[in-house]
Amino acid sequence: LDRRRFLERCGLGAWIVTGLGVARALMAYMRPHSLLEPPTRVVVARRDRITDGTVIFDRDQKVVVVGTPGGVYAMSAVCPHLGCMTRFKAESGLIDCACHGSAFTLKGEPLYGPSGPLRWLEVTVNERNEVVVDTNSEIPAGKVFNG
Ligand code: FES
């Protein structure tokens, strides 16, 4: 191996190593690193803070959590008519949707307007005694979590 050939092989080797490094970096760049969908299980509050008569309207998580003598239940705060965000009116104790004028009881039953009932969602309590609502898991209306 003369000096010229040795330097050519070193140069070729350097190009191959550089190409592999660039290819690896491109592969890492192209691979998604984050989940684009928000989590469906959301922590609302400590269980002991949700007593009979408590209503938590969590606009960010889009859930309504209600405390009853028999336990806790949760509903989606998204209007099932066309997907607008509802709001809780403490003075009337009703949930309403400003988009097309629907109103709901605290059990999600429609009182008036074009919408059907609010979706009831599964409630659990985690190991830290926090109420967790699964916004992706609809349950039959009237099923109260009593844990
Ligand atoms: S989106 Fe709520 S009433 Fe139409």
Side-chain angles (χ1 to χ4, degrees), residues 78-86 96-104 112-115:
V78 176
C79 181
H81 179 227
L82 291 179
C84 288
M85 190 65 185
T86 60
D96 76 357
C97 177
C99 284
H100 308 102
S102 288
F104 310 89
Y112 48 83
S115 181

Side-chain angles (χ1 to χ4, degrees), residues 2 4 23 25 27 35 40-41 43-44 47 52-53 65 67 74 76 78 91-92 109 115 122 136 140 144 147:
D2 64 359
R4 172 180 281 271
M27 296 281 281
L35 189 60
T40 62
R41 295 173 59 81
V43 174
V44 178
R47 173 63 185 95
D52 180 23
V65 176
S76 170
V78 176
E91 62 275 8
S92 63
E109 300 154 338
S115 181
E122 185 179 37
N136 206 29
V144 176

Side-chain angles (χ1 to χ4, degrees), residues 31-145:
R31 189 177 324 127
H33 290 280
S34 61
L35 189 60
L36 298 177
E37 296 177 8
T40 62
R41 295 173 59 81
V42 296
V43 174
V44 178
R46 286 187 49 84
R47 173 63 185 95
D48 52 7
R49 296 189 69 197
I50 305 175
T51 57
D52 180 23
T54 302
V55 178
I56 297 176
F57 189 90
D58 191 327
R59 190 171 178 79
D60 294 335
Q61 310 284 10
K62 301 179 181 171
V63 295
V64 184
V65 176
V66 180
T68 71
V72 176
Y73 64 88
M75 299 176 293
S76 170
V78 176
C79 181
H81 179 227
L82 291 179
C84 288
M85 190 65 185
T86 60
R87 60 188 174 185
F88 174 62
K89 291 192 157 183
E91 62 275 8
S92 63
L94 298 177
I95 299 166
D96 76 357
C97 177
C99 284
H100 308 102
S102 288
F104 310 89
T105 66
L106 266 184
K107 292 190 171 184
E109 300 154 338
L111 290 173
Y112 48 83
S115 181
L118 295 177
R119 293 183 321 123
W120 279 51
L121 303 172
E122 185 179 37
V123 174
T124 54
V125 171
N126 66 15
E127 66 283 348
R128 291 189 300 268
N129 200 30
E130 297 165 325
V131 171
V132 179
V133 177
D134 189 341
T135 59
N136 206 29
S137 180
E138 188 171 350
I139 62 169
K143 191 174 173 191
V144 176
F145 174 79

